[in-house]
């Protein structure tokens, strides 16, 4: 079989690139959140402006690691503001910062003296300095009355953020600069360019406006400038609660490295994650979940509510009562009654974003949500139950700004789904018990509805061994495969698969399925990372003999930049090599996408990424990532959506629908489950009670699987209650396939299986089909497991058949058969 290369041989800008760039711009616009705007400080007239802060020239577009995307060009805030016509009057501060930054980088590299230290550099990534304190001279020479200070932070997989200055907290120089800015300029704007929230002290009280920029991909700088100038307007809403101080974060000091134990992560806050904690325990955060300002104001009225089948259908009228254009997010929360189970004060059950509303314009939005979202999990009964009492439905513009609009009275307890207990706790854990509930509501205007327990249908689940895929084309191929072939399929293409240029080849993929079975009709398919776009090599080269070489510092991983020169010389492209180009789009990070609260837009983002997958022959997109923001220090929060499972599940479902709109392209939801800390992620044991597991950490995955049918899922590195997740039959089979009906491929996270980590044989037994990227030790483990009965031949066959089905129905196979 001939090599198939889809990368372009020209670096010309394509129509697809321009179109996707436009989607990236729109999603950045909708993901920026305006947190404060006193005296309508914003928008600004285009004119002179003082720009300070590391994030101005070095805007962080996304986090590091597998979540990075290699786009053609990313627009910084500096560039965006210049393009929008602003005259930047603080060039001196900016060039001093750049010089400072270059010096710090050289120092970090060891000034060329310390030699090759790739491991040290990977473990201690370069953290840019924050720049010098703004001087009186800067202020005088800026010659204007408006300033913006952009605080910037970077993080990535493999390490959590530190609870220290320069990371979660502000550096002294930042505090001094922002204070000085606030005192010296008539209008002062603080911007946070970080993938998850941080502690900004009480500085927000001092400045005129605060913007959470987050990390907005390659078009972030342009979107930012257009919001500042009023050409566009903000419509993002927070997808997390911002605690006033870290000590307010539940069990914050036990998180990750902070208690000196990264081997065990106790999920002691139970279901009280994010606003569920702050609202129930009466702790006022700095900014509430769902919060965000517009340049205009809105009014919201619930005009209809009825129970239809197992859903509540709501109709809400939104009116723009201000003087500027804008979009509002209608958010629906439910406060369930306490009963035998103690409940959180409220939980999000649905949301919808309006279209653009001109002043005085109205729009009616419809929101339906499943009554099952109001249920809580009883570990004793192994069931999701609705306890009798009044369910108060709150409708509003954020978790704190709602009106009790509907009361659903349930006459008797009802079982929504009868399940079985999973993932038993092996450690004893003292759980948080709620103390305070919110004040009594004024329900005088609320619409009253009655729900009879007898009318609630109970979903029951059959926990049985899933069938081996019996589709005719799959069976035909399976009949030709030996046991060895099946093992080949289940272990991917091995480490070399990442750099092998054989057969179906896309430079920069992080894995592929086996190349050894093409004679039996199975092409290899490619897997590439996300979630902020499609991570491929932008420029690469092929030697005459068909070997991969790297071009202009475009490496598989950033750390290759620190390779010693004699190795670099061997892997770098030569003049006669054939150059290949793949220009993919870097979209806002997932947290920013969630902040759009716009499922339609996120579906468009998925669709845009699918076009790049088609173009470059990628079958599996290793995203969206759905882990819950349990703690603001998690190094990967930027790659995840929210602290709330409903927002997480709905946005992830939208991205998945977008990707899978093309038949034969697959979204891979990850990391299943409870990978909520990064330090020591391969050995860490997440200790989680079943109720929190089901209501919080699995719920987002459940919504995504049920609503969008992703064709792949990735297990996580960590253990869950003592068992590595790829070995967990409860997760990979009982929950995923039996309860939720998942029918795709389950794969491991990269190199999850090896001595002292998860066992490949046990993974096959559990229903984890594919070991990625696969090693010979995985092959040996599977053979051993088949011999000693840890895994059966049928289990191997089931996993292999799932992979065969995904390959033969892939877009890449169809195109190349
Ligand atoms: C990450 C995954 C990623 C994989 C492949 C792992 O380190 O945890 O999210 O998809 O690498 O790059």
């Amino acid at each position: 079989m001939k090599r198939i290369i889809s990368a372009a041989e020209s670096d010309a800008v394509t129509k697809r690139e321009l179109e996707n760039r436009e989607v990236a711009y729109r999603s950045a616009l909708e993901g920026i959140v305006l947190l404060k705007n006193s005296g309508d400080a914003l928008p600004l007239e285009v004119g002179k402006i003082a720009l300070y802060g590391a994030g101005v020239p070095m805007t962080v577009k996304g986090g590091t690691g597998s979540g990075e995307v290699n786009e053609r060009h990313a627009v910084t805030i500096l560039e965006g503001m210049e393009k929008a016509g602003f005259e930047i009057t603080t060039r001196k501060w900016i060039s001093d910062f750049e010089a400072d930054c270059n010096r710090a980088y050289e120092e970090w590299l060891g000034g060329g003296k310390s030699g090759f230290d790739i491991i040290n550099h990977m473990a201690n990534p370069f953290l840019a300095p924050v720049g010098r304190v703004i001087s009186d001279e800067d202020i005088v020479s800026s010659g204007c009355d408006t300033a913006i200070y952009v605080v910037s932070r970077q993080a990535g997989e493999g390490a959590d953020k530190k609870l220290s200055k320069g990371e979660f907290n502000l550096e002294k120089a930042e505090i001094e600069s922002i204070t000085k800015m606030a005192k010296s300029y008539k209008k002062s704007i603080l911007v946070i360019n970080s993938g998850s929230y941080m502690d900004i002290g009480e500085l927000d009280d001092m400045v005129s406006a605060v913007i959470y920029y987050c990390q907005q991909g390659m078009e972030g700088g342009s979107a930012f400038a257009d919001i500042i100038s009023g050409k566009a307007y903000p419509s993002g809403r927070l997808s997390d609660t911002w605690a006033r101080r870290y000590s307010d974060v539940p069990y914050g000091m036990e998180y990750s490295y902070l208690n000196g134990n990264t081997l065990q992560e106790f999920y002691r806050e139970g279901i009280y994650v994010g606003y569920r904690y702050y609202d129930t325990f009466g702790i006022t955060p700095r900014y509430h979940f769902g919060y965000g300002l517009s340049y205009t104001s809105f009014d919201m009225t619930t005009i209809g509510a009825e129970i239809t089948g197992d859903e509540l259908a709501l109709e809400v009228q939104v009116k723009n009562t201000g003087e500027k254009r804008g979009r509002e997010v209608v958010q629906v929360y439910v406060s369930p009654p306490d009963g035998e189970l103690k409940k959180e004060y409220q939980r999000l059950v649905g949301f919808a974003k309006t279209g653009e509303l001109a002043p005085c314009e109205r729009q009616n939005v419809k929101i339906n949500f499943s009554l099952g979202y109001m249920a809580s999990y009883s570990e004793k009964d192994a069931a999701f139950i609705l306890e009798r009492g009044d369910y108060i439905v709150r409708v509003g513009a954020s978790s704190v700004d709602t009106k009790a609009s509907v009361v659903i009275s349930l006459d008797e307890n009802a079982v929504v789904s009868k399940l079985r207990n999973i993932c038993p706790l092996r450690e004893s854990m003292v759980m948080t018990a709620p103390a305070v509930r919110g004040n009594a509501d004024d329900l005088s205007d609320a619409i009253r509805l009655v729900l009879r327990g007898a009318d609630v249908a109970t979903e029951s689940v059959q926990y049985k061994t899933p069938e081996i895929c019996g589709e005719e084309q799959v069976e035909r191929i399976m009949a030709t495969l030996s046991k060895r072939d099946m093992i080949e399929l289940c272990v991917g293409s091995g480490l070399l698969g990442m750099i092998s240029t054989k057969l179906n080849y896309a430079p920069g993929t992080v894995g592929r399925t086996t190349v050894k079975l093409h004679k039996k009709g199975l092409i290899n398919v490619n897997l590439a990372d996300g979630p902020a776009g499609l991570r491929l090599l932008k420029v690469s080269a092929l030697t005459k003999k068909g070997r991969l070489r790297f071009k202009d510092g475009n490496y598989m991983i950033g750390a290759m930049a620190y390779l010693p020169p004699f190795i670099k010389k061997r892997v770098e492209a030569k003049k006669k090599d054939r150059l290949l180009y793949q220009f993919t789009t870097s979209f806002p990070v997932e947290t920013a996408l969630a902040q759009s609260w716009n499922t339609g837009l996120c579906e468009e983002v998925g669709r845009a990424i699918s076009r790049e997958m088609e173009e470059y022959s990628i079958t599996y997109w290793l995203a969206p990532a759905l882990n819950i923001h349990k703690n603001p220090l998690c190094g990967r929060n930027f790659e995840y959506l929210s602290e709330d499972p409903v927002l997480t599940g709905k946005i992830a479902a939208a991205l998945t629908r977008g990707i899978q709109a093309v038949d034969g392209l697959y979204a891979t939801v990850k990391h299943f489950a409870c990978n909520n800390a990064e330090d020591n992620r391969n050995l860490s044991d997440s200790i989680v009670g079943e109720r929190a597991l089901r209501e919080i950490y699995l719920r987002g995955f459940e919504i995504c699987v049920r609503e969008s049918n992703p064709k792949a899922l990735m297990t996580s590195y960590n253990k869950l209650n003592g068992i590595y997740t790829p070995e967990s039959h409860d997760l990979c089979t009982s929950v995923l396939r039996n309860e939720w009906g998942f029918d795709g491929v389950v794969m491991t996270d990269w190199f999850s299986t090896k001595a002292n980590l998860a066992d490949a044989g046990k993974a096959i037994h559990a229903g984890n089909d594919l070991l990625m990227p696969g090693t010979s030790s995985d092959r040996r483990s599977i053979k051993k497991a088949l011999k000693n009965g840890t895994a059966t031949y049928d289990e191997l066959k089931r996993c292999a058949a799932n992979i065969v089905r995904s390959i033969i129905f892939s877009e890449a196979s169809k195109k190349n058969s």
Side-chain angles (χ1 to χ4, degrees):
M1 190 180 180
K2 265 186 41 216
R3 184 186 289 123
I4 307 159
I5 298 181
S6 311
E9 300 210 13
S10 145
D11 63 356
V13 177
T14 63
K15 184 164 164 272
R16 186 273 304 154
E17 249 186 285
L18 295 176
E19 285 167 0
N20 282 8
R21 195 171 250 279
E22 195 272 331
V23 181
Y25 168 80
R26 273 192 289 123
S27 35
L29 270 187
E30 292 204 33
I32 291 174
V33 185
L34 178 61
L35 296 173
K36 177 178 179 184
N37 193 18
S38 87
D40 288 341
L42 292 172
L44 304 175
E45 295 254 317
V46 174
K48 281 188 176 180
I49 187 136
L51 296 182
Y52 302 103
V56 169
M58 266 188 41
T59 314
V60 178
K61 63 151 210 280
T64 62
S66 57
E68 237 171 291
V69 177
N70 307 310
E71 73 290 315
R72 188 187 281 272
H73 173 68
V75 180
T76 62
I77 286 181
L78 176 62
E79 187 186 338
M81 293 292 285
E82 276 170 338
K83 267 193 348 201
F86 286 94
E87 184 191 335
I88 320 302
T89 59
T90 43
R91 297 280 169 194
K92 172 89 174 75
W93 191 95
I94 293 169
S95 62
D96 285 355
F97 165 78
E98 283 168 340
D100 217 27
C101 198
N102 291 339
R103 236 185 344 261
Y105 186 69
E106 284 304 315
E107 245 169 57
W108 175 77
L109 277 179
K113 286 184 213 107
S114 69
F116 172 54
D117 197 357
I118 192 166
I119 301 296
N120 186 33
H121 284 132
M122 275 181 79
N124 301 294
F126 175 66
L127 296 178
V130 298
R132 64 170 169 77
V133 178
I134 300 174
S135 67
D136 292 338
E137 207 187 313
D138 291 325
I139 294 164
V140 173
S141 62
S142 68
C144 59
D145 62 3
T146 306
I148 297 182
Y149 191 99
V150 185
V151 172
S152 192
R153 293 290 186 270
Q154 184 53 295
E157 66 178 307
D160 290 312
K161 288 205 247 179
K162 298 275 176 288
L163 182 59
S164 62
K165 291 181 184 158
E167 293 214 35
F168 187 72
N169 299 93
L170 291 167
E171 285 279 6
K172 195 163 160 271
E174 289 172 321
I175 299 175
E176 282 177 25
S177 288
I178 297 162
T179 310
K180 191 148 193 181
M181 166 180 78
K183 288 189 177 148
S184 316
Y185 290 90
K186 205 163 123 209
K187 285 185 181 180
S188 55
I189 296 137
L190 172 61
V191 179
I192 313 296
N193 168 212
S194 163
S196 63
Y197 83 87
M198 51 184 290
D199 188 348
I200 51 174
E202 304 300 320
L203 289 178
D204 47 346
D205 288 344
M206 229 180 248
V207 294
S208 345
V210 182
I211 293 178
Y212 181 39
Y213 176 88
C214 196
Q215 293 171 339
Q216 296 290 352
M218 68 195 282
E219 279 295 318
S222 315
F224 174 83
D226 288 346
I227 285 179
I228 294 291
S229 74
K231 183 173 165 196
Y233 50 83
S235 67
R237 305 289 182 259
L238 293 180
S239 70
D240 288 324
T241 313
W242 288 33
R244 190 153 276 286
R245 53 190 81 78
Y246 188 78
S247 54
D248 286 348
V249 173
Y251 298 100
M253 292 316 285
E254 290 190 21
Y255 180 70
S256 183
Y257 75 97
L258 285 170
N259 62 355
N261 174 13
T262 55
L263 282 173
Q264 289 173 310
E265 202 55 43
F266 286 89
Y267 286 43
R268 249 185 253 287
E269 67 278 36
I271 59 165
Y272 302 102
V273 176
Y275 66 90
R276 285 167 166 76
Y277 173 75
Y278 299 102
D279 293 350
T280 312
F281 288 76
I283 295 164
T284 310
R286 187 180 303 279
Y287 295 112
H288 288 270
F289 175 79
Y291 170 78
L293 299 171
S294 311
Y295 287 158
T296 186
S297 52
F298 298 96
D299 194 41
M300 230 181 250
T301 323
T302 302
I303 51 174
E306 62 171 330
I307 295 173
T308 52
D310 61 357
E311 289 195 336
L312 181 75
L314 281 174
E315 190 163 0
V316 180
Q317 183 168 91
V318 183
K319 183 179 173 198
N320 183 344
T321 51
E323 285 160 15
K324 295 208 163 71
R325 295 168 305 149
R327 296 179 76 171
E328 179 60 302
V329 178
V330 181
Q331 304 174 29
V332 183
Y333 298 82
V334 164
S335 294
D338 269 341
E340 202 177 311
L341 297 174
K342 288 277 176 225
K343 315 268 172 38
E344 68 277 38
Y345 170 66
Q346 63 176 348
R347 61 175 77 159
L348 182 77
V349 289
F351 59 91
K353 195 165 191 172
T354 65
E356 178 173 298
L357 296 179
C360 292
E361 197 180 348
R362 290 164 211 262
Q363 186 187 338
N364 289 359
V365 296
K366 292 193 170 149
I367 298 173
N368 284 27
F369 67 87
S370 156
L371 296 174
Y373 285 9
M374 305 195 312
S376 298
Y377 185 71
S378 158
E379 295 181 15
K380 179 169 70 65
D381 303 325
F384 270 99
I385 57 173
L386 286 167
E387 288 188 292
R388 65 186 291 272
D390 287 347
Y391 290 77
I392 299 172
V393 181
R394 306 175 186 283
V395 180
S398 81
S399 59
V400 73
D401 176 17
T402 57
K403 184 163 187 293
S405 305
V406 182
V407 180
I408 305 174
S409 302
L410 176 67
D411 58 346
E412 58 177 355
N413 289 358
V415 177
V416 172
S417 50
K418 179 75 194 93
L419 307 170
R420 75 156 55 147
N421 290 114
I422 52 155
C423 305
L425 270 176
R426 293 173 172 197
E427 312 274 335
S428 69
M429 179 164 53
V430 183
M431 309 276 292
T432 300
V436 191
R437 293 292 303 259
N439 297 332
D441 289 288
D442 171 11
L443 300 174
S444 47
D445 291 349
I447 301 173
R448 299 273 175 175
L449 297 174
V450 172
L451 177 64
R452 285 176 5 108
D455 293 341
V456 174
T458 303
E459 184 187 320
S460 62
V461 176
Q462 291 205 4
Y463 292 94
K464 53 175 192 188
T465 309
E467 302 283 326
I468 299 174
C469 174
E471 288 174 52
E472 201 196 320
Q473 283 154 282
V474 176
E475 278 193 336
R476 214 180 308 134
I477 298 225
M478 285 298 289
T480 69
L481 300 184
S482 64
K483 197 194 287 176
R484 202 181 152 159
D485 294 338
M486 293 184 203
I487 295 175
E488 276 308 319
L489 269 174
C490 293
V491 296
S493 178
L495 183 52
L496 288 179
M498 290 155 130
I499 48 171
S500 156
T501 65
K502 283 187 195 155
L503 301 178
N504 179 20
Y505 168 58
T509 53
V510 283
R512 40 173 33 195
T513 54
T514 183
V515 288
K516 293 186 184 153
L517 296 174
H518 67 272
K519 290 205 175 110
K520 296 197 172 173
L522 290 173
I523 186 181
N524 68 291
V525 294
N526 296 317
L527 299 86
D529 262 310
L534 192 63
R535 187 164 75 94
L536 290 176
L537 280 179
K538 179 161 67 173
V539 192
S540 60
L542 269 189
T543 66
K544 265 224 170 98
K545 288 194 175 145
R547 275 209 297 270
L548 164 69
R549 285 213 181 114
F550 300 100
K551 174 87 179 139
D552 299 337
N554 287 281
Y555 299 118
M556 288 288 288
I557 51 168
M560 286 177 74
Y562 323 123
L563 286 171
F566 73 94
I567 299 190
K568 262 196 187 163
K569 215 168 143 193
R570 297 192 60 176
V571 299
E572 292 278 2
K574 310 277 178 303
K575 260 211 178 110
K576 52 184 190 285
D577 294 340
R578 173 178 158 204
L579 293 184
L580 298 175
Y581 300 93
Q582 300 170 120
F583 291 105
T584 60
T585 310
S586 106
F587 291 93
V589 297
E590 274 197 7
T591 303
L593 289 178
Q595 288 179 172
S596 73
W597 291 67
N598 186 339
T599 50
L601 175 71
C602 291
E603 194 166 330
E604 265 190 80
V605 170
R607 186 71 189 86
I609 297 169
S610 78
R611 293 178 63 194
E612 298 176 6
M613 292 171 72
E614 265 186 294
E615 190 170 325
Y616 298 129
S617 196
I618 306 299
T619 296
Y620 287 91
W621 186 48
L622 303 177
L626 276 79
N627 299 77
I628 290 292
H629 293 166
K630 169 174 153 45
N631 183 293
L633 298 182
C634 175
R636 275 189 115 163
N637 273 350
F638 72 96
E639 285 189 70
Y640 305 142
L641 294 149
S642 165
E643 66 187 22
D644 178 81
V646 169
L647 182 59
T648 293
K650 298 268 179 195
I651 298 284
L655 287 163
T656 302
R657 279 195 299 272
I659 296 291
Q660 297 188 169
V662 178
D663 206 29
L665 297 185
Y666 312 135
T668 311
V669 295
K670 69 186 185 185
H671 311 86
F672 193 60
C674 296
N675 185 177
N676 300 88
E678 283 298 297
D679 279 14
N680 204 18
R681 60 183 176 167
N682 289 95
L683 295 176
S684 164
D685 185 5
S686 300
I687 298 163
V688 194
E690 190 186 355
R691 180 168 171 204
L693 181 63
R694 286 193 177 273
E695 288 188 24
I696 307 291
Y697 298 99
L698 298 184
R699 201 11 94 86
F701 285 99
E702 176 179 6
I703 293 173
C704 180
V705 168
R706 289 188 192 264
E707 291 192 3
S708 66
N709 191 19
K711 289 298 179 190
L713 171 142
M714 187 191 289
T715 46
S716 54
Y717 283 130
N718 56 288
K719 291 179 204 158
L720 173 55
N721 294 336
I723 296 183
Y724 275 114
T725 59
E727 294 178 2
S728 171
H729 190 274
D730 277 354
L731 285 181
C732 299
T733 298
S734 304
V735 169
L736 188 60
R737 301 186 199 263
N738 296 150
E739 293 180 11
W740 303 344
F742 176 84
D743 67 348
V745 167
V746 177
M747 69 181 76
T748 60
D749 198 345
W750 267 231
F751 305 108
S752 297
T753 45
K754 60 179 174 200
N756 303 327
L757 299 182
D759 174 75
K762 287 188 184 164
I764 296 294
H765 167 70
N768 185 121
D769 309 300
L770 181 59
L771 292 322
M772 282 310 293
T775 59
S776 20
S777 112
D778 291 332
R779 282 187 200 92
R780 284 194 299 276
S781 300
I782 298 174
K783 280 184 201 151
K784 201 163 131 205
L786 291 174
K787 246 191 208 151
N788 67 23
T790 312
T792 64
Y793 177 67
D794 264 7
E795 285 164 353
L796 173 68
K797 213 169 150 191
R798 182 174 306 110
C799 293
N802 285 342
I803 300 168
V804 166
R805 178 177 49 193
S806 80
I807 297 175
I808 59 179
F809 295 125
S810 69
E811 191 263 344
S813 276
K814 285 186 242 163
K815 197 160 69 189
N816 293 298
S817 59

